[in-house]
């Protein structure tokens, strides 16, 4: 581990490519699966819970005969049952995965430790508190990005907008100087694609730790109006977060808050652009935007799978679950459970039930969901205000589709439009 450096002394790294090619990220993090849902539906209709390795569309996973049979949960009610029972189904399974590059975070903690840590960080993410970022900050970031291509009449919205705005929003909310955004974005990308390149991901994790150490030290000395100052000053029952806990939490925010949100806005745009009547309805009545967002989170959740580990021998929907078994909850499948939704495969912002598991459920339900909703609403509203006649404009032979398995989003969204201002 390198020594902590004050922010100003962080050595210069190569500047990040201004327009990072999302293809690279997509291929490394998500694979190229176009549509896993027919296969997931088939499996779900066989049984909502499966024991043992199954091919969900990307080949049969390797299995260790010395470990308990892995469990795959495909049904809505069965997923809720697991997420509600966080004593039987532990989040400690993440220790050996994300914990290795992020440090110990609330994602992998069980009760009562989780409750205390979540209470420390959650005030900062309440929707009321987030209002202070909306006007100046999120709006400014989105406007700047749109300024950059509005006059062109056409753009790839993944490259020009969705891929860039969440990382800039997080950086600004954290209070990082603008000059640091490029290196911050690069570390973020390297950390979130750790599965594709372990050494690079670990190096980014260490660089971020050192970088944050400098910022935290500065904020302890001189608090500012930003999230890092909030975290530094936070206390619950006389206990605050120590530095290492703050670094881990900040590192968790990157994959948790940047990657998911960029994919979410891409999926929402894809849903609307491929259903022009619904796009028109939203354009004419912006109060439908939050509704459209929730339908996207159901229909094409950016995160399709989360994990738990069984702590005792038990059973789920009649399937035996052995103590120590890894339990994969396929949120994307649960969100298309035909026992709960009519025509689950349709993107339909007017459907009756919009409740879904796209943000998880139970004690670990997404901490940043209000931020994700707010950011995406601002981005979509601004886009609709500034660009009319938005239409998809694929190149000949270009297959525009949401792709990936564990993480899903469109690789590109080429559009044409008329700029209104
Ligand atoms: C549309 C965007 C997002 C989606 C789809 C999403 C999805 C999820 C899901 C499914 C979980 C549950 C994980 C589990 O139970 O194992 C989760 C947890 C979490 N999310 Fe999000 N997320 C999004 C945006 C954000 C943002 C913007 C932030 C913060 C800036 C964030 C921070 C977190 C944190 C800290 C947790 C862990 C909560 C805990 O363990 O108590 N997420 N998210």
């Amino acid at each position: 581990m390198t020594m902590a450096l004050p922010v100003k002394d962080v050595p210069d790294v190569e500047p990040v490519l201004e327009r990072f090619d999302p293809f690279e990220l997509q291929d490394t993090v998500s694979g190229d699966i176009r549509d896993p849902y027919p296969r997931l539906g088939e499996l779900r209709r066989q049984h909502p819970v499966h024991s043992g390795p199954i091919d969900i569309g990307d080949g049969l996973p390797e299995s260790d005969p010395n470990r308990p049979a892995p469990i795959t949960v495909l049904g809505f009610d069965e997923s809720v049952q697991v997420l509600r029972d966080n004593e039987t189904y532990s989040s400690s399974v993440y220790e050996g995965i994300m914990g290795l590059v992020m440090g110990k975070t609330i994602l992998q903690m069980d009760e009562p430790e989780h409750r205390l840590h979540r209470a420390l960080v959650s005030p900062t993410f309440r929707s009321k508190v987030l209002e202070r970022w909306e006007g100046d900050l999120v709006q400014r970031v989105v406007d700047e990005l749109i300024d950059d291509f509005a006059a062109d009449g056409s753009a790839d919205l993944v490259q020009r907008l969705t891929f860039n705005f969440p990382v800039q929003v997080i950086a600004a909310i954290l209070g990082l100087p603008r000059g640091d955004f490029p290196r911050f974005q690069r570390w973020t990308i390297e950390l979130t694609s750790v599965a594709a390149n372990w050494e690079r991901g670990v190096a980014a994790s260490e660089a971020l730790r050192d970088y944050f150490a400098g910022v935290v030290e500065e904020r302890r000395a001189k608090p500012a109006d930003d999230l890092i100052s909030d975290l530094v000053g936070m206390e619950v029952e006389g206990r605050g977060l120590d530095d290492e806990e703050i670094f881990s939490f900040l590192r968790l925010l990157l994959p948790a808050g940047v990657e998911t949100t960029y994919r979410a806005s891409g999926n929402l745009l894809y849903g609307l652009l491929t259903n022009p009547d619904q796009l028109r309805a939203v354009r004419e009545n912006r109060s439908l935007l939050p509704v459209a967002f929730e339908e996207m989170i159901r229909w094409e959740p950016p995160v399709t799978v989360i994990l738990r580990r069984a702590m005792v021998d038990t059973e789920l929907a009649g399937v035996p679950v052995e103590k120590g078994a890894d339990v994969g909850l396929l949120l994307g499948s649960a969100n298309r459970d035909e026992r709960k939704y009519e025509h689950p495969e349709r993107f339909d912002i007017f459907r009756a039930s919009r409740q879904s598991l796209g943000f998880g459920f139970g004690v670990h339900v997404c901490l940043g969901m209000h931020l994700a909703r707010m950011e995406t609403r601002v981005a979509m509203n601004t886009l609709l205000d500034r660009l009319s006649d938005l239409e998809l404009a694929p190149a000949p032979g270009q297959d525009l589709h949401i792709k990936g398995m564990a993480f899903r989003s469109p690789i590109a969204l080429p559009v044409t439009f008329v700029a209104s201002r």
Side-chain angles (χ1 to χ4, degrees), residues 357-409:
L357 299 183
F359 280 120
F361 181 85
V363 293
H364 288 273
V365 71
C366 178
L367 180 71
M369 62 186 172
H370 303 301
L371 176 59
R373 287 178 176 133
M374 182 268 272
E375 281 181 83
T376 315
R377 176 170 47 75
V378 173
M380 294 299 137
N381 250 330
T382 312
L383 198 73
L384 294 177
D385 284 345
R386 297 192 54 180
L387 311 180
S388 56
D389 299 334
L390 256 183
E391 271 176 32
L392 276 180
Q398 188 178 16
D399 175 33
L400 292 184
H401 203 272
I402 294 171
K403 291 188 182 168
M405 189 63 227
F407 295 102
R408 283 179 62 76
S409 58

Short mmCIF file of all heavy atoms in Angstrom, two decimals, residues 357-409:
data_model
loop_
_atom_site.label_atom_id
_atom_site.label_comp_id
_atom_site.label_asym_id
_atom_site.label_seq_id
_atom_site.Cartn_x
_atom_site.Cartn_y
_atom_site.Cartn_z
N LEU A 357 -37.97 -5.49 -8.06
CA LEU A 357 -36.80 -5.74 -7.21
C LEU A 357 -35.54 -5.13 -7.80
O LEU A 357 -34.43 -5.48 -7.41
CB LEU A 357 -36.63 -7.25 -7.03
CG LEU A 357 -37.80 -7.97 -6.35
CD1 LEU A 357 -37.46 -9.45 -6.16
CD2 LEU A 357 -38.11 -7.34 -4.99
N GLY A 358 -35.68 -4.23 -8.76
CA GLY A 358 -34.52 -3.67 -9.44
C GLY A 358 -33.55 -2.92 -8.53
O GLY A 358 -32.36 -2.81 -8.84
N PHE A 359 -34.04 -2.43 -7.40
CA PHE A 359 -33.14 -1.80 -6.41
C PHE A 359 -32.90 -2.73 -5.22
O PHE A 359 -32.45 -2.28 -4.16
CB PHE A 359 -33.76 -0.49 -5.90
CG PHE A 359 -33.59 0.69 -6.84
CD1 PHE A 359 -34.69 1.35 -7.35
CD2 PHE A 359 -32.33 1.14 -7.19
CE1 PHE A 359 -34.54 2.45 -8.20
CE2 PHE A 359 -32.15 2.24 -8.03
CZ PHE A 359 -33.25 2.89 -8.54
N GLY A 360 -33.22 -4.02 -5.38
CA GLY A 360 -33.10 -4.93 -4.25
C GLY A 360 -34.32 -4.79 -3.35
O GLY A 360 -35.33 -4.18 -3.72
N PHE A 361 -34.21 -5.35 -2.13
CA PHE A 361 -35.33 -5.34 -1.22
C PHE A 361 -34.80 -5.67 0.17
O PHE A 361 -33.80 -6.36 0.30
CB PHE A 361 -36.35 -6.43 -1.66
CG PHE A 361 -37.58 -6.51 -0.80
CD1 PHE A 361 -38.66 -5.68 -1.04
CD2 PHE A 361 -37.65 -7.42 0.27
CE1 PHE A 361 -39.81 -5.75 -0.24
CE2 PHE A 361 -38.79 -7.49 1.06
CZ PHE A 361 -39.86 -6.65 0.80
N GLY A 362 -35.47 -5.16 1.20
CA GLY A 362 -35.07 -5.49 2.57
C GLY A 362 -34.02 -4.54 3.09
O GLY A 362 -33.87 -3.42 2.58
N VAL A 363 -33.26 -4.99 4.07
CA VAL A 363 -32.34 -4.07 4.76
C VAL A 363 -31.25 -3.51 3.85
O VAL A 363 -30.74 -2.42 4.08
CB VAL A 363 -31.68 -4.72 6.01
CG1 VAL A 363 -32.70 -4.99 7.09
CG2 VAL A 363 -30.92 -5.98 5.64
N HIS A 364 -30.91 -4.24 2.80
CA HIS A 364 -29.84 -3.77 1.89
C HIS A 364 -30.39 -3.05 0.66
O HIS A 364 -29.64 -2.80 -0.29
CB HIS A 364 -28.96 -4.93 1.44
CG HIS A 364 -28.06 -5.46 2.52
ND1 HIS A 364 -26.82 -4.92 2.78
CD2 HIS A 364 -28.24 -6.45 3.41
CE1 HIS A 364 -26.26 -5.58 3.79
NE2 HIS A 364 -27.11 -6.52 4.19
N VAL A 365 -31.69 -2.72 0.69
CA VAL A 365 -32.26 -2.05 -0.50
C VAL A 365 -31.37 -0.86 -0.86
O VAL A 365 -30.78 -0.21 0.02
CB VAL A 365 -33.72 -1.61 -0.24
CG1 VAL A 365 -33.82 -0.46 0.73
CG2 VAL A 365 -34.43 -1.28 -1.55
N CYS A 366 -31.26 -0.59 -2.14
CA CYS A 366 -30.28 0.39 -2.63
C CYS A 366 -30.32 1.70 -1.84
O CYS A 366 -31.35 2.36 -1.74
CB CYS A 366 -30.55 0.68 -4.10
SG CYS A 366 -29.44 1.93 -4.77
N LEU A 367 -29.15 2.07 -1.34
CA LEU A 367 -29.04 3.31 -0.58
C LEU A 367 -29.13 4.54 -1.49
O LEU A 367 -29.54 5.61 -1.07
CB LEU A 367 -27.68 3.30 0.14
CG LEU A 367 -27.32 4.49 1.00
CD1 LEU A 367 -28.18 4.49 2.27
CD2 LEU A 367 -25.85 4.45 1.38
N GLY A 368 -28.72 4.36 -2.74
CA GLY A 368 -28.63 5.51 -3.63
C GLY A 368 -29.81 5.65 -4.57
O GLY A 368 -29.74 6.39 -5.54
N MET A 369 -30.92 4.96 -4.26
CA MET A 369 -32.01 4.96 -5.25
C MET A 369 -32.62 6.34 -5.45
O MET A 369 -33.02 6.69 -6.55
CB MET A 369 -33.07 3.91 -4.92
CG MET A 369 -33.80 4.09 -3.63
SD MET A 369 -34.86 2.64 -3.38
CE MET A 369 -35.41 2.96 -1.72
N HIS A 370 -32.65 7.16 -4.39
CA HIS A 370 -33.22 8.49 -4.58
C HIS A 370 -32.29 9.35 -5.45
O HIS A 370 -32.75 10.14 -6.26
CB HIS A 370 -33.46 9.18 -3.22
CG HIS A 370 -34.35 8.39 -2.32
ND1 HIS A 370 -35.62 8.03 -2.68
CD2 HIS A 370 -34.14 7.84 -1.09
CE1 HIS A 370 -36.16 7.31 -1.71
NE2 HIS A 370 -35.29 7.18 -0.74
N LEU A 371 -31.00 9.15 -5.25
CA LEU A 371 -30.04 9.89 -6.08
C LEU A 371 -30.16 9.44 -7.53
O LEU A 371 -30.20 10.27 -8.45
CB LEU A 371 -28.61 9.66 -5.56
CG LEU A 371 -27.49 10.28 -6.38
CD1 LEU A 371 -27.66 11.79 -6.49
CD2 LEU A 371 -26.12 9.96 -5.79
N ALA A 372 -30.24 8.12 -7.75
CA ALA A 372 -30.35 7.61 -9.12
C ALA A 372 -31.60 8.15 -9.79
O ALA A 372 -31.57 8.56 -10.96
CB ALA A 372 -30.37 6.08 -9.10
N ARG A 373 -32.70 8.17 -9.05
CA ARG A 373 -33.96 8.67 -9.63
C ARG A 373 -33.84 10.16 -9.97
O ARG A 373 -34.24 10.58 -11.04
CB ARG A 373 -35.10 8.48 -8.62
CG ARG A 373 -35.51 7.03 -8.48
CD ARG A 373 -36.61 6.90 -7.42
NE ARG A 373 -37.09 5.53 -7.35
CZ ARG A 373 -37.25 4.85 -6.22
NH1 ARG A 373 -36.97 5.40 -5.05
NH2 ARG A 373 -37.69 3.61 -6.25
N MET A 374 -33.27 10.90 -9.04
CA MET A 374 -33.18 12.35 -9.25
C MET A 374 -32.26 12.66 -10.44
O MET A 374 -32.62 13.42 -11.34
CB MET A 374 -32.67 13.01 -7.96
CG MET A 374 -32.56 14.51 -8.01
SD MET A 374 -30.95 15.05 -8.52
CE MET A 374 -30.08 15.12 -6.95
N GLU A 375 -31.09 12.02 -10.47
CA GLU A 375 -30.13 12.28 -11.55
C GLU A 375 -30.75 11.97 -12.91
O GLU A 375 -30.61 12.73 -13.86
CB GLU A 375 -28.94 11.33 -11.43
CG GLU A 375 -27.92 11.66 -10.44
CD GLU A 375 -26.83 10.60 -10.50
OE1 GLU A 375 -25.94 10.69 -11.35
OE2 GLU A 375 -26.87 9.65 -9.69
N THR A 376 -31.42 10.82 -12.97
CA THR A 376 -31.97 10.39 -14.26
C THR A 376 -33.12 11.30 -14.67
O THR A 376 -33.26 11.65 -15.85
CB THR A 376 -32.43 8.92 -14.18
OG1 THR A 376 -31.41 8.18 -13.52
CG2 THR A 376 -32.67 8.33 -15.55
N ARG A 377 -33.93 11.73 -13.69
CA ARG A 377 -35.04 12.63 -14.01
C ARG A 377 -34.50 13.95 -14.58
O ARG A 377 -34.98 14.43 -15.61
CB ARG A 377 -35.87 12.89 -12.72
CG ARG A 377 -36.99 13.91 -12.90
CD ARG A 377 -37.92 13.93 -11.69
NE ARG A 377 -37.24 13.97 -10.38
CZ ARG A 377 -36.67 15.04 -9.86
NH1 ARG A 377 -36.68 16.18 -10.51
NH2 ARG A 377 -36.07 14.98 -8.67
N VAL A 378 -33.46 14.49 -13.94
CA VAL A 378 -32.90 15.75 -14.42
C VAL A 378 -32.34 15.56 -15.84
O VAL A 378 -32.58 16.37 -16.74
CB VAL A 378 -31.79 16.27 -13.47
CG1 VAL A 378 -31.08 17.49 -14.05
CG2 VAL A 378 -32.38 16.60 -12.10
N ALA A 379 -31.61 14.46 -16.04
CA ALA A 379 -31.01 14.23 -17.37
C ALA A 379 -32.09 14.09 -18.44
O ALA A 379 -32.00 14.70 -19.51
CB ALA A 379 -30.13 12.98 -17.34
N MET A 380 -33.13 13.32 -18.14
CA MET A 380 -34.19 13.08 -19.15
C MET A 380 -34.99 14.36 -19.40
O MET A 380 -35.29 14.69 -20.53
CB MET A 380 -35.15 11.98 -18.68
CG MET A 380 -34.53 10.64 -18.59
SD MET A 380 -33.89 10.08 -20.20
CE MET A 380 -32.36 9.41 -19.68
N ASN A 381 -35.33 15.06 -18.35
CA ASN A 381 -36.09 16.30 -18.50
C ASN A 381 -35.32 17.30 -19.36
O ASN A 381 -35.87 17.92 -20.25
CB ASN A 381 -36.32 16.94 -17.12
CG ASN A 381 -37.77 16.85 -16.72
OD1 ASN A 381 -38.66 16.86 -17.57
ND2 ASN A 381 -38.01 16.76 -15.43
N THR A 382 -34.04 17.40 -19.09
CA THR A 382 -33.23 18.37 -19.82
C THR A 382 -33.12 17.97 -21.29
O THR A 382 -33.23 18.80 -22.19
CB THR A 382 -31.83 18.47 -19.18
OG1 THR A 382 -32.00 18.61 -17.77
CG2 THR A 382 -31.05 19.65 -19.70
N LEU A 383 -32.92 16.68 -21.49
CA LEU A 383 -32.82 16.18 -22.86
C LEU A 383 -34.10 16.47 -23.62
O LEU A 383 -34.07 16.96 -24.77
CB LEU A 383 -32.58 14.66 -22.80
CG LEU A 383 -32.02 14.02 -24.04
CD1 LEU A 383 -30.57 14.37 -24.22
CD2 LEU A 383 -32.15 12.50 -23.94
N LEU A 384 -35.25 16.22 -22.99
CA LEU A 384 -36.53 16.44 -23.67
C LEU A 384 -36.79 17.94 -23.87
O LEU A 384 -37.38 18.35 -24.87
CB LEU A 384 -37.67 15.79 -22.89
CG LEU A 384 -37.61 14.26 -22.82
CD1 LEU A 384 -38.74 13.70 -21.97
CD2 LEU A 384 -37.66 13.64 -24.21
N ASP A 385 -36.35 18.76 -22.92
CA ASP A 385 -36.51 20.21 -23.08
C ASP A 385 -35.68 20.73 -24.24
O ASP A 385 -36.09 21.62 -24.97
CB ASP A 385 -36.03 20.96 -21.82
CG ASP A 385 -37.04 20.85 -20.68
OD1 ASP A 385 -38.19 20.47 -20.97
OD2 ASP A 385 -36.66 21.13 -19.53
N ARG A 386 -34.50 20.17 -24.38
CA ARG A 386 -33.55 20.77 -25.33
C ARG A 386 -33.55 20.14 -26.71
O ARG A 386 -33.11 20.77 -27.67
CB ARG A 386 -32.14 20.71 -24.73
CG ARG A 386 -32.03 21.53 -23.44
CD ARG A 386 -30.63 21.72 -22.98
NE ARG A 386 -29.78 22.29 -24.02
CZ ARG A 386 -28.51 22.56 -23.88
NH1 ARG A 386 -27.91 22.33 -22.73
NH2 ARG A 386 -27.80 23.05 -24.87
N LEU A 387 -33.99 18.89 -26.80
CA LEU A 387 -33.95 18.21 -28.11
C LEU A 387 -35.34 17.70 -28.47
O LEU A 387 -35.94 16.95 -27.69
CB LEU A 387 -32.98 17.03 -28.07
CG LEU A 387 -31.58 17.26 -27.50
CD1 LEU A 387 -30.78 15.97 -27.55
CD2 LEU A 387 -30.84 18.35 -28.26
N SER A 388 -35.84 18.12 -29.64
CA SER A 388 -37.13 17.56 -30.07
C SER A 388 -36.88 16.58 -31.22
O SER A 388 -35.75 16.46 -31.72
CB SER A 388 -38.09 18.68 -30.46
OG SER A 388 -37.50 19.46 -31.46
N ASP A 389 -37.93 15.87 -31.62
CA ASP A 389 -37.85 14.88 -32.71
C ASP A 389 -36.73 13.86 -32.49
O ASP A 389 -36.04 13.47 -33.43
CB ASP A 389 -37.63 15.57 -34.07
CG ASP A 389 -38.77 16.50 -34.42
OD1 ASP A 389 -39.89 16.27 -33.93
OD2 ASP A 389 -38.54 17.48 -35.17
N LEU A 390 -36.58 13.47 -31.25
CA LEU A 390 -35.54 12.47 -30.93
C LEU A 390 -35.91 11.13 -31.54
O LEU A 390 -36.99 10.61 -31.28
CB LEU A 390 -35.49 12.28 -29.43
CG LEU A 390 -34.39 12.89 -28.59
CD1 LEU A 390 -34.57 12.45 -27.14
CD2 LEU A 390 -33.01 12.53 -29.10
N GLU A 391 -34.99 10.58 -32.34
CA GLU A 391 -35.26 9.27 -32.95
C GLU A 391 -34.00 8.44 -33.01
O GLU A 391 -32.91 8.98 -33.26
CB GLU A 391 -35.75 9.46 -34.39
CG GLU A 391 -37.25 9.62 -34.49
CD GLU A 391 -37.67 9.89 -35.93
OE1 GLU A 391 -37.01 9.37 -36.85
OE2 GLU A 391 -38.66 10.63 -36.10
N LEU A 392 -34.15 7.15 -32.85
CA LEU A 392 -32.99 6.27 -33.00
C LEU A 392 -32.55 6.28 -34.46
O LEU A 392 -33.38 6.29 -35.37
CB LEU A 392 -33.37 4.83 -32.63
CG LEU A 392 -33.31 4.45 -31.15
CD1 LEU A 392 -33.72 3.01 -30.98
CD2 LEU A 392 -31.93 4.69 -30.55
N ALA A 393 -31.25 6.27 -34.68
CA ALA A 393 -30.74 6.30 -36.06
C ALA A 393 -29.59 5.31 -36.19
O ALA A 393 -28.42 5.70 -36.32
CB ALA A 393 -30.27 7.71 -36.40
N PRO A 394 -29.92 4.01 -36.16
CA PRO A 394 -28.83 3.01 -36.24
C PRO A 394 -28.17 3.03 -37.61
O PRO A 394 -28.82 3.33 -38.62
CB PRO A 394 -29.57 1.67 -36.03
CG PRO A 394 -31.01 1.94 -36.26
CD PRO A 394 -31.25 3.41 -36.06
N ALA A 395 -26.88 2.74 -37.63
CA ALA A 395 -26.17 2.59 -38.90
C ALA A 395 -26.70 1.30 -39.55
O ALA A 395 -27.21 0.43 -38.85
CB ALA A 395 -24.68 2.47 -38.63
N PRO A 396 -26.57 1.19 -40.89
CA PRO A 396 -27.05 -0.04 -41.53
C PRO A 396 -26.43 -1.27 -40.87
O PRO A 396 -25.22 -1.31 -40.66
CB PRO A 396 -26.57 0.10 -42.99
CG PRO A 396 -26.33 1.56 -43.18
CD PRO A 396 -25.97 2.13 -41.84
N GLY A 397 -27.26 -2.20 -40.51
CA GLY A 397 -26.78 -3.45 -39.91
C GLY A 397 -26.44 -3.34 -38.43
O GLY A 397 -26.08 -4.33 -37.79
N GLN A 398 -26.54 -2.15 -37.87
CA GLN A 398 -26.18 -1.99 -36.45
C GLN A 398 -27.30 -2.54 -35.56
O GLN A 398 -28.46 -2.16 -35.74
CB GLN A 398 -25.96 -0.51 -36.12
CG GLN A 398 -25.39 -0.28 -34.73
CD GLN A 398 -25.13 1.21 -34.45
OE1 GLN A 398 -25.63 2.08 -35.16
NE2 GLN A 398 -24.35 1.48 -33.42
N ASP A 399 -26.94 -3.43 -34.65
CA ASP A 399 -27.96 -4.02 -33.77
C ASP A 399 -28.00 -3.23 -32.47
O ASP A 399 -27.18 -3.40 -31.59
CB ASP A 399 -27.58 -5.48 -33.49
CG ASP A 399 -28.54 -6.11 -32.49
OD1 ASP A 399 -29.73 -5.74 -32.48
OD2 ASP A 399 -28.08 -6.98 -31.70
N LEU A 400 -28.99 -2.35 -32.38
CA LEU A 400 -29.11 -1.58 -31.14
C LEU A 400 -29.96 -2.39 -30.17
O LEU A 400 -31.13 -2.63 -30.42
CB LEU A 400 -29.80 -0.25 -31.41
CG LEU A 400 -29.02 0.73 -32.24
CD1 LEU A 400 -29.77 2.04 -32.34
CD2 LEU A 400 -27.65 0.98 -31.62
N HIS A 401 -29.37 -2.78 -29.09
CA HIS A 401 -30.14 -3.54 -28.11
C HIS A 401 -29.46 -3.39 -26.76
O HIS A 401 -28.26 -3.12 -26.70
CB HIS A 401 -30.21 -5.02 -28.51
CG HIS A 401 -31.37 -5.74 -27.91
ND1 HIS A 401 -31.33 -6.36 -26.68
CD2 HIS A 401 -32.63 -5.91 -28.36
CE1 HIS A 401 -32.51 -6.88 -26.42
NE2 HIS A 401 -33.33 -6.64 -27.42
N ILE A 402 -30.24 -3.58 -25.72
CA ILE A 402 -29.65 -3.67 -24.38
C ILE A 402 -28.92 -5.01 -24.31
O ILE A 402 -29.47 -6.02 -24.73
CB ILE A 402 -30.76 -3.57 -23.32
CG1 ILE A 402 -31.39 -2.18 -23.36
CG2 ILE A 402 -30.23 -3.92 -21.94
CD1 ILE A 402 -32.64 -2.01 -22.52
N LYS A 403 -27.66 -4.98 -23.84
CA LYS A 403 -26.89 -6.23 -23.81
C LYS A 403 -26.21 -6.43 -22.46
O LYS A 403 -26.02 -5.48 -21.71
CB LYS A 403 -25.82 -6.21 -24.91
CG LYS A 403 -26.43 -6.31 -26.30
CD LYS A 403 -25.37 -6.48 -27.37
CE LYS A 403 -26.06 -6.51 -28.74
NZ LYS A 403 -25.12 -6.38 -29.83
N GLY A 404 -25.78 -7.66 -22.23
CA GLY A 404 -25.05 -7.98 -21.00
C GLY A 404 -25.80 -9.02 -20.20
O GLY A 404 -26.90 -9.43 -20.56
N MET A 405 -25.15 -9.45 -19.11
CA MET A 405 -25.81 -10.45 -18.27
C MET A 405 -25.98 -9.90 -16.85
O MET A 405 -27.06 -9.49 -16.47
CB MET A 405 -24.98 -11.75 -18.28
CG MET A 405 -25.66 -12.92 -17.63
SD MET A 405 -27.19 -13.42 -18.46
CE MET A 405 -28.28 -13.58 -17.06
N ALA A 406 -24.89 -9.85 -16.08
CA ALA A 406 -25.01 -9.34 -14.70
C ALA A 406 -25.34 -7.85 -14.71
O ALA A 406 -26.10 -7.35 -13.89
CB ALA A 406 -23.71 -9.59 -13.94
N PHE A 407 -24.73 -7.12 -15.63
CA PHE A 407 -25.04 -5.70 -15.85
C PHE A 407 -25.54 -5.56 -17.27
O PHE A 407 -24.93 -6.11 -18.19
CB PHE A 407 -23.79 -4.82 -15.70
CG PHE A 407 -23.21 -4.83 -14.33
CD1 PHE A 407 -22.09 -5.59 -14.04
CD2 PHE A 407 -23.77 -4.07 -13.32
CE1 PHE A 407 -21.54 -5.60 -12.77
CE2 PHE A 407 -23.23 -4.07 -12.05
CZ PHE A 407 -22.12 -4.84 -11.76
N ARG A 408 -26.61 -4.80 -17.45
CA ARG A 408 -27.16 -4.67 -18.81
C ARG A 408 -27.42 -3.22 -19.17
O ARG A 408 -27.90 -2.44 -18.34
CB ARG A 408 -28.48 -5.45 -18.90
CG ARG A 408 -28.26 -6.94 -19.02
CD ARG A 408 -29.56 -7.72 -19.10
NE ARG A 408 -30.40 -7.43 -20.26
CZ ARG A 408 -30.19 -7.85 -21.50
NH1 ARG A 408 -29.12 -8.57 -21.77
NH2 ARG A 408 -31.03 -7.54 -22.48
N SER A 409 -27.08 -2.90 -20.42
CA SER A 409 -27.42 -1.58 -20.96
C SER A 409 -27.09 -1.56 -22.45
O SER A 409 -26.39 -2.46 -22.95
CB SER A 409 -26.64 -0.47 -20.24
OG SER A 409 -25.26 -0.70 -20.34
#
